[in-house]
């Protein structure tokens, strides 16, 4: 028996049985749209009769290089007969014709990416018959011209511009603005011209056989799965390329039958803010594509009940029912044909990050989902987009607002205007920030939308293509800003009496819908949103992995704690030495010819350090603060060789023309000092500083550097203890490769801590740990652990030293080639490499914990804020991850997801 390639909507039970009842696999088989049309049919919700050709048939079509298997077609024809019986109409019968729509529908929705053909089944005879039957010549001719146009562009691949040109000419001849105002005679002329376009462009007449139209449309939808724009979209959205798409053949229902007909799109909750209540648009006497294309001015769904009270109430009730059935916000398409409501689609609605969080929290409060499910539904990308910058209030007040549109995707975006998507991509590649400005967007524009920081359109509604795509990819967007007059040929946007050309700066606020001239200053986002706080609180209850911050200053530490950090996992002390008041002292310390002079400089640095550490302890009262000893090579604190060389040349020139002895003496002194400094710099030159005198090796060479830092740490702790602060310093030694290094440094630190405690007559915790940043340290971790109270994996260096690749050099040269050619799948400096670096972490941790089973161990490299790496850290059994303050909310959620994934695999 040949496989079942076709399921009618009323055969959803059979489809589900064929995949052992697994709904996810039903969605894979029928596509999301087909599965839900079947499900709605099963629920008794009014759905026009029809059937789905499976995604498996699409894959079969691709593997047979574009040949539709005979069995597929036979099953389609059978299902058409059933649809005829259900509707009481006959496909191709002029006296009582059935028309169908052919709609794509993959497992995951890809708005507008694949093709749709409506009104299949019309030809000259059927048109005549339908006019006789309906008495509505205008409606039938309008449907016919739509079929020829869609079939021409989608199936025959004729550029839609040719059809649009005919329509524009017809409107101009008739002196009307909208297509719907064209008369029967105008439409007849348009149809003739459309047929001529088809004949001229495709070298064949428009096919009059309805079955031929259907067959070609199904094949065109299958082909569109492999089309470039669908491919690009899947790439960006992380959808697998081998899923294939279903094709849904649905009996046509007409929203353009007259004033008792309508069509619309609505979400069961607000997709921008997440607030409860229907949100969407509809049009009286129109077809669905008119709403989505954003060409006609739509009406808000709240007005549906004013025009059609019963339909409005029925739709609201169905929306509610679908939402509770799917336990999620629904995005629905509907049509009203002569007073009867039909649902054409439902799916989980795309939403902004803000709405995602709000809806998840509300659904828990409503008892629809539990806390775990709410946390599961929020992605790290959602949290990231909530961390988008916002416009700074004072700057907004001063900014020139030029227009207002719909606030469809929040966030502030500032960029240069580009009117076409290819230019947006080119400019983005040149490092420019771009706002894509278009009358409306189409699926072909997606690459440009992705390359832009914001999207602005002059037409279209909340469910327009621009709004959907922007929301999905977290791009701030304002749509339907009708005050903007965009002239694509002269590349000018006019608003009021102002004009902007391509390349001019504009700012848009996707949260309010405001459009501003020029650049408006942005600031940090508001993270005190109660729904977000609730959701992250739930994530905290789930996760077992700790989250600390990499913070070097008091203000960073305060922010980190507000964002949920449970301490500081890495304070890079060298950042404290770069301040203009400190650098000269630091340079004096480095260049000191004798120990006495070095100690004097060190003594000057002490108060600075003590002050900075005290700030950190205050911010983190009661939480651990890991302070790493000085790490980089000392030459980083000295001026560059080239700079000194230039100064010397300059001084020599000035010396030659010195006007008097006094100047000459001063110049000579400067020359002498600069030459000495150059010699110092030269003496510290290393051919490979990354592997040279840095990290613990500095402290080994100059124990006084370790001692001063230890003193600053413990004196600061003693100082704040006097203020009632519970300071919990942890001293961390970097770049250790052997246990003896740590043992030596430990003795220095303990000695200094004891001295401070004795001087101040205070007891302080002395916790000393080490970073594991080189492969040898990982391999001898058990020996090192004997001297360590904690480990922290410095995965930046561990990645460099494991791969033998300098991060700075790799990222600016060959690494991008590795990534584009697929030698590396991901950048190992961004996402932890499980095979090499991860394996070393695993080995180190297991062996160290044979000695110290509860050894605290964290990760403090960049990977600590990357969700995929956080999942690995959880699996290795690390105690915490440490990341920059702004990544903390992402890390909290990712850590909860890691725990949920672990629970799931334990259950499986
Ligand atoms: C590391 O190497 O991962 C680390 C945190 O140290 P740094 O980035 O300062 O070298
Ligand atoms: Mg390091």
């Amino acid at each position: 028996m040949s496989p079942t390639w076709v399921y009618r909507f009323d055969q959803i039970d059979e489809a589900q049985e064929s995949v052992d009842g697994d709904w996810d696999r039903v969605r894979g088989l029928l596509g999301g749209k087909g599965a839900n049309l079947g499900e709605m049919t099963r629920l008794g919700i009014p759905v026009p009769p029809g059937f789905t050709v499976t995604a498996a048939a699409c894959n079969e079509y691709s593997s047979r290089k574009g040949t539709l298997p005979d069995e597929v077609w036979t099953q389609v024809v059978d299902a058409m007969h059933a649809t005829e019986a259900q509707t009481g109409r006959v496909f191709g019968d002029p006296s009582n014709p059935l028309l169908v729509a052919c709609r794509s529908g993959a497992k995951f929705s890809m708005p507008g990416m694949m093709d749709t053909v409506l009104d299949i089944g019309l030809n000259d005879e059927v048109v005549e018959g339908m006019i006789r039957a309906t008495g509505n010549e205008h409606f039938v001719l309008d449907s016919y011209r739509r079929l020829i146009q869609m079939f021409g562009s989608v199936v025959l691949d004729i550029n839609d511009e040719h059809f649009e040109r005919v329509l524009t000419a017809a409107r101009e001849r008739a002196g009307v603005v909208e297509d719907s105002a064209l008369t029967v005679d105008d439409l007849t002329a348009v149809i003739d011209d459309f047929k001529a376009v088809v004949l001229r462009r495709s070298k064949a007449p428009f096919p009059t056989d309805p079955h031929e139209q259907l067959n070609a449309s199904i094949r065109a939808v299958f082909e569109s799965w492999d089309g470039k724009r669908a491919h690009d979209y899947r790439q960006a959205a992380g959808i697998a390329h081998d899923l294939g798409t279903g094709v849904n053949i649905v009996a046509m229902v007409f929203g353009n039958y007259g004033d008792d007909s309508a069509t619309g799109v609505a979400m069961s909750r607000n997709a921008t803010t997440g607030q409860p209540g229907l949100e969407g648009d509809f049009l009286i006497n129109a077809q669905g594509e008119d709403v989505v294309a954003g060409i006609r001015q739509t009406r808000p769904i709240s007005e549906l009940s004013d025009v059609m009270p019963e339909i409005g109430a029925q739709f609201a009730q169905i929306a509610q029912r679908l939402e509770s059935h799917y336990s999620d916000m629904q995005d629905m398409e509907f049509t009203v044909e002569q007073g009867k409501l039909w649902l054409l689609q439902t799916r989980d609605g795309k939403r902004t990050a803000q709405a995602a969080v709000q809806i998840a929290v509300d659904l828990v409060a409503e008892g629809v989902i539990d806390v775990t499910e709410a946390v599961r539904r929020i992605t790290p990308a959602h949290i990231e987009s909530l961390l988008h910058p916002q416009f700074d209030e004072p700057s907004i007040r001063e900014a020139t607002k030029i227009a207002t549109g719909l606030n469809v995707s929040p966030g502030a975006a500032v960029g240069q205007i580009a009117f076409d998507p290819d230019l947006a991509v080119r400019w983005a590649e040149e490092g420019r920030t771009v706002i894509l400005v278009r009358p409306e967007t189409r699926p072909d524009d997606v690459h440009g939308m992705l390359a832009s920081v914001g999207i602005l359109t002059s037409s279209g509604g909340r469910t327009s293509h621009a709004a959907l795509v922007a929301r999905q990819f977290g791009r701030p967007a304002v749509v339907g800003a009708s005050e903007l007059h965009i002239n694509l040929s002269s590349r000018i946007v006019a608003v009021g009496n102002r004009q902007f050309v391509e390349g001019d700066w504009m700012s848009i606020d996707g949260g309010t819908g405001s459009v501003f001239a020029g650049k408006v200053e942005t600031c940090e986002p508001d993270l005190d949103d109660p729904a977000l706080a609730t959701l992250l609180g739930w994530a905290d209850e789930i996760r077992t992995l700790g989250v600390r911050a990499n913070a070097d200053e008091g203000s960073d530490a305060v922010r980190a704690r507000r964002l949920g950090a449970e301490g500081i996992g890495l304070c890079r002390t060298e950042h404290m030495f770069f301040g203009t008041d400190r650098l000269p002292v630091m340079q004096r310390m480095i260049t000191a010819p004798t120990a006495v002079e070095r100690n004097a400089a060190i003594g000057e640095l002490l108060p600075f350090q003590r002050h900075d550490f005290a700030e950190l302890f205050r911010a983190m009262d009661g939480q651990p603060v890991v302070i790493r000893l000085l790490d980089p090579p000392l030459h980083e604190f000295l001026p560059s060789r080239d700079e000194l060389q230039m100064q010397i040349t300059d001084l020599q020139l000035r010396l030659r023309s010195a006007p008097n002895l006094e100047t000459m003496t001063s110049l000579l002194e400067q020359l002498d000092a600069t030459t000495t400094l150059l010699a110092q710099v030269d003496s510290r030159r290393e051919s490979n500083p990354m592997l040279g005198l840095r990290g613990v090796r500095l402290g080994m060479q100059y124990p006084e550097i370790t001692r001063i830092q230890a003193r600053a740490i413990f004196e600061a702790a003693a100082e704040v203890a006097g203020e009632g602060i519970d300071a919990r310093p942890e001293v961390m030694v970097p770049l250790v490769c052997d246990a003896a290094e740590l043992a030596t440094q430990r003795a220095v630190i303990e000695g200094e801590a004891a001295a401070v405690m004795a001087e101040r007559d205070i007891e302080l915790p002395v916790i000393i740990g080490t970073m594991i940043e080189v492969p040898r340290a990982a391999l001898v971790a058990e020996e090192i652990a004997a001297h360590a109270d904690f480990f922290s994996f410095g995965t930046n260096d561990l990645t460099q030293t494991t791969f033998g690749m300098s991060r700075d050099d790799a990222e600016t040269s060959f690494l991008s080639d590795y990534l584009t050619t697929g030698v590396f799948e991901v950048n190992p400096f961004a996402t932890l490499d499980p095979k090499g670096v991860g394996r070393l972490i695993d080995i180190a941790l297991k062996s160290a914990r044979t000695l110290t089973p509860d050894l605290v161990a964290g990760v403090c490299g960049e990977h600590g804020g990357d969700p995929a790496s956080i999942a690995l850290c959880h699996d290795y059994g690390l105690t915490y991850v440490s990341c920059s303050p702004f990544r903390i909310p992402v890390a909290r959620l990712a850590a909860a997801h890691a725990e949920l994934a672990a629970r799931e695999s334990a259950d499986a």
Side-chain angles (χ1 to χ4, degrees):
M1 208 177 78
S2 77
T4 306
W5 302 108
V6 171
Y7 289 96
R8 293 193 314 270
F9 300 153
D10 59 6
Q11 289 177 316
I12 188 73
D13 289 336
E14 285 91 320
Q16 194 159 4
E17 268 160 37
S18 79
V19 289
D20 305 327
D22 181 342
W23 184 248
D24 191 59
R25 286 177 60 201
V26 176
R27 289 171 43 85
L29 180 70
L30 302 179
K33 187 181 287 174
N36 286 349
L37 284 168
E39 185 67 0
M40 286 197 285
T41 305
R42 178 152 68 182
L43 291 171
I45 288 168
V47 168
F51 55 89
T52 306
V53 189
T54 64
C58 175
N59 287 336
E60 188 69 13
Y61 178 82
S62 299
S63 69
R64 295 196 191 187
K65 306 269 176 297
T67 315
L68 195 67
D70 289 343
E71 318 88 80
V72 175
W73 181 245
T74 313
Q75 293 182 23
V76 166
V77 173
D78 285 350
M80 277 304 282
H81 289 317
T83 308
E84 288 173 338
Q86 284 167 332
T87 55
R89 292 177 181 164
V90 179
F91 196 45
D93 176 357
S95 63
N96 180 26
L98 167 68
L99 303 189
V100 293
C102 173
R103 296 170 184 271
S104 59
K107 178 170 181 181
F108 302 106
S109 92
M110 299 166 49
M113 286 300 122
M114 289 182 301
D115 292 324
T116 291
V117 185
L118 303 179
D119 303 317
I120 297 169
L122 284 173
N123 56 29
D124 290 355
E125 291 76 54
V126 173
V127 163
E128 269 175 37
M130 247 182 108
I131 292 172
R132 271 196 305 278
T134 62
N136 192 340
E137 196 172 4
H138 187 276
F139 152 70
V140 178
L141 293 177
D142 186 47
S143 303
Y144 196 22
R145 74 95 189 153
R146 284 172 194 263
L147 169 65
I148 304 174
Q149 182 169 3
M150 283 199 197
F151 192 90
S153 60
V154 168
V155 181
L156 304 174
D157 215 15
I158 300 169
N159 192 327
D160 197 42
E161 270 174 19
H162 299 293
F163 298 107
E164 285 299 330
R165 224 174 279 142
V166 170
L167 278 173
T168 311
R171 283 195 305 265
E172 277 168 9
R173 264 198 319 270
V176 298
V177 194
E178 291 196 5
D179 293 339
S180 57
L182 295 173
T183 63
V184 163
D185 288 344
D186 298 332
L187 286 171
T188 309
V190 165
I191 289 165
D192 284 344
D193 289 350
F194 274 10
K195 285 181 182 166
V197 168
V198 169
L199 183 61
R200 201 166 52 243
R201 301 274 149 199
S202 74
K203 310 276 181 282
F206 175 73
T208 52
D209 174 1
H211 282 95
E212 190 184 332
Q213 293 171 4
L214 181 63
N215 188 297
S217 300
I218 292 174
R219 281 187 286 124
V221 171
F222 284 163
E223 306 247 323
S224 67
W225 173 260
D226 285 322
K228 179 176 172 341
R229 67 182 198 216
H231 196 274
D232 288 352
Y233 184 95
R234 290 198 294 273
Q235 201 72 25
I239 298 174
H241 295 300
D242 60 359
L243 295 175
T245 179
V247 176
N248 301 289
I249 307 300
V250 194
M252 281 297 298
V253 285
F254 296 95
N256 54 341
Y257 231 112
D259 284 345
D260 57 355
S261 303
T263 186
V265 186
M267 313 265 182
S268 59
R269 292 178 194 236
N270 187 305
T272 310
T273 63
Q275 293 305 317
L278 281 177
E279 191 223 12
D281 315 278
F282 75 99
L283 279 170
I284 296 284
N285 195 14
Q287 281 203 346
E289 312 310 304
D290 303 339
V291 180
V292 183
I295 295 162
R296 275 173 61 184
Q297 199 61 46
T298 55
R299 297 175 67 168
I301 196 76
S302 54
E303 291 178 13
L304 183 62
S305 294
D306 302 343
V307 223
M308 301 178 170
E310 275 172 30
I311 297 285
Q314 190 192 355
F315 180 69
Q317 194 225 336
I318 289 176
Q320 187 100 76
R321 173 131 187 251
L322 287 172
E323 192 183 271
S324 53
H325 180 74
Y326 288 106
S327 307
D328 201 359
M329 185 260 255
Q330 294 297 295
D331 169 359
M332 298 150 291
E333 270 181 35
F334 66 92
T335 283
V336 182
E337 183 188 75
Q338 298 186 300
K340 172 150 176 57
L341 174 67
W342 297 98
L343 267 285
L344 302 184
Q345 161 157 315
T346 191
R347 60 185 170 190
D348 293 348
K350 300 215 182 299
R351 61 206 78 181
T352 63
Q354 184 195 344
V357 172
Q358 187 68 51
I359 290 171
V361 170
D362 286 349
L363 289 177
V364 172
E366 291 164 26
V368 179
I369 58 173
D370 64 14
V371 163
T372 311
E373 177 60 20
V375 170
R376 197 177 277 129
R377 283 187 187 181
I378 304 304
T379 62
H382 282 137
I383 305 286
E384 255 162 52
S385 91
L386 285 177
L387 307 178
H388 273 164
Q390 311 289 325
F391 285 125
D392 178 46
E393 267 310 315
S395 311
I396 286 263
R397 264 179 259 124
E398 280 169 25
T400 315
K401 182 161 159 184
I402 50 169
T404 308
L406 298 173
N407 55 335
V408 292
S409 184
V414 182
Q416 290 176 276
I417 300 171
F419 290 118
D420 80 71
D422 294 335
L423 182 71
V425 169
R426 215 167 52 242
W427 279 1
E429 281 168 3
E430 289 169 13
R432 295 160 82 168
T433 51
V434 179
I435 304 260
L436 183 67
V437 180
R438 304 276 292 165
E440 71 229 6
T441 64
R442 290 162 162 264
D444 295 344
D445 298 337
V446 168
H447 60 301
M449 300 170 81
L450 292 174
S452 305
V453 295
I455 295 147
L456 173 63
T457 70
S458 55
S459 60
R462 292 191 178 282
T463 44
S464 62
H465 176 262
L468 290 182
V469 174
R471 278 203 286 273
Q472 167 148 38
F473 293 105
R475 294 289 183 286
V478 174
V479 305
S482 52
E483 295 134 282
L484 302 178
H485 298 281
I486 302 168
N487 188 329
L488 290 183
S489 31
S490 56
R491 302 185 98 76
I492 285 176
V493 48
V495 47
N497 51 10
R498 300 182 62 139
Q499 286 200 337
F500 299 84
V501 296
E502 205 148 40
D504 281 352
W505 288 86
M506 229 182 221
S507 304
I508 61 168
D509 186 341
T512 62
S514 304
V515 182
F516 303 95
K519 290 186 192 180
V520 179
E521 291 289 314
T522 53
C523 62
E524 291 169 12
D526 170 21
L527 288 160
D528 294 331
D529 177 63
L532 180 63
T534 304
L535 192 113
L536 289 174
W538 292 335
D540 291 342
E541 281 165 28
I542 293 170
R543 69 186 163 89
T544 54
L545 192 62
V547 177
R548 296 191 193 176
N550 290 359
D552 310 325
E553 286 176 14
S555 58
D556 278 350
V558 170
R559 181 182 301 127
R561 190 156 191 174
R562 228 188 83 211
L563 293 170
E566 298 156 324
I568 290 181
L570 173 63
C571 163
R572 292 178 163 105
T573 46
E574 57 271 15
H575 292 173
M576 299 172 167
F577 293 111
F578 283 114
T580 45
D581 47 348
R582 306 162 186 206
L583 191 59
V585 190
M586 184 69 181
Q587 289 177 345
R588 238 181 303 140
M589 181 194 86
I590 297 168
T591 56
T594 64
V596 175
E597 282 165 275
R598 185 173 314 122
N599 283 336
I602 284 177
E604 273 185 70
L605 284 173
L606 179 68
F608 289 128
Q609 289 243 287
R610 195 171 48 217
H611 168 267
D612 291 345
F613 294 143
E615 293 278 285
L616 294 180
F617 295 145
R618 287 189 191 103
M620 287 291 160
D621 187 5
Q623 295 190 340
V625 175
V626 174
I627 297 169
R628 178 179 74 183
L629 301 181
L630 197 62
D631 183 30
L634 292 182
H635 75 79
E636 284 198 10
F637 298 96
L638 297 175
S640 83
R641 196 172 188 285
D642 292 349
E643 203 179 298
L644 290 172
Q645 197 72 62
M646 259 158 48
Q647 279 176 22
I648 290 173
T649 314
D650 182 52
L651 287 166
Q652 284 167 336
L653 284 173
R654 283 163 59 197
L655 194 60
R656 262 186 238 154
S657 52
N660 52 42
L661 194 62
E662 202 182 331
T663 315
M664 202 181 283
T665 317
S666 149
L667 286 170
L668 272 172
E669 274 169 13
Q670 288 178 53
L671 190 59
D672 191 37
T674 314
T675 313
T676 313
L677 194 53
L678 180 64
Q680 291 281 356
V681 169
D682 276 343
S683 75
R684 303 206 168 274
R685 246 158 93 98
E686 293 176 307
S687 30
N688 218 333
M690 192 191 69
L691 301 176
L693 181 63
R694 57 166 289 212
V696 65
R697 302 160 204 168
L698 282 171
M700 297 297 281
Q701 183 109 348
Y702 304 108
E704 53 274 36
I705 297 185
T706 302
R707 202 171 298 127
I708 160 84
Q709 292 188 89
R711 172 161 286 272
I713 292 167
F714 290 103
E715 283 188 358
E719 185 178 309
V720 298
E723 302 164 15
I725 301 282
D726 177 9
R728 303 203 176 169
E730 302 189 357
V731 186
M732 181 156 79
V733 184
L735 216 75
V736 161
C737 66
D738 191 274
E741 289 173 322
L742 185 61
T744 313
Q745 292 292 298
R746 184 173 188 109
V748 175
I749 298 161
E750 280 176 342
E752 203 62 20
V756 172
M757 289 191 279
E759 287 159 24
R760 306 272 174 132
D761 190 20
I762 189 172
E763 266 305 311
L764 293 166
V766 181
I767 297 170
I768 301 166
T770 187
M771 294 186 78
I772 304 291
E773 299 183 271
V774 297
R776 189 175 192 279
L779 297 172
V780 300
E782 195 177 343
E783 287 177 25
I784 294 177
H787 307 278
D789 299 320
F790 66 90
F791 275 4
S792 180
F793 290 90
T795 48
N796 299 335
D797 272 307
L798 193 56
T799 303
Q800 297 201 93
T801 50
T802 302
F803 280 77
M805 278 178 191
S806 141
R807 173 184 179 147
D808 292 343
D809 296 326
E811 287 192 336
T812 53
S813 69
F814 57 88
L815 189 58
S816 65
D817 279 351
Y818 268 41
L819 292 168
T820 43
T821 56
V823 175
F824 281 3
E825 268 173 38
V826 290
N827 176 354
F829 293 105
T831 297
L832 203 60
D833 150 54
K835 290 187 194 162
V837 180
R839 182 136 178 264
L840 284 170
I841 294 177
D842 199 33
I843 291 170
L845 209 51
K846 286 201 175 109
S847 65
R849 282 188 176 156
T850 53
L851 184 78
T852 319
D854 51 359
L855 181 75
V856 169
V859 153
C860 64
E862 289 306 305
H863 306 90
D866 167 65
S869 311
I870 290 172
L872 290 170
C873 292
H874 175 97
D875 295 346
Y876 298 140
L878 284 158
T879 321
Y880 65 85
V881 289
S882 188
C883 56
S884 65
F886 273 119
R887 307 283 309 166
I888 283 170
V890 173
R892 288 162 69 192
L893 181 81
H897 283 185
E899 166 64 18
L900 291 176
R903 284 185 204 167
E904 255 163 46
S905 63
D907 288 348

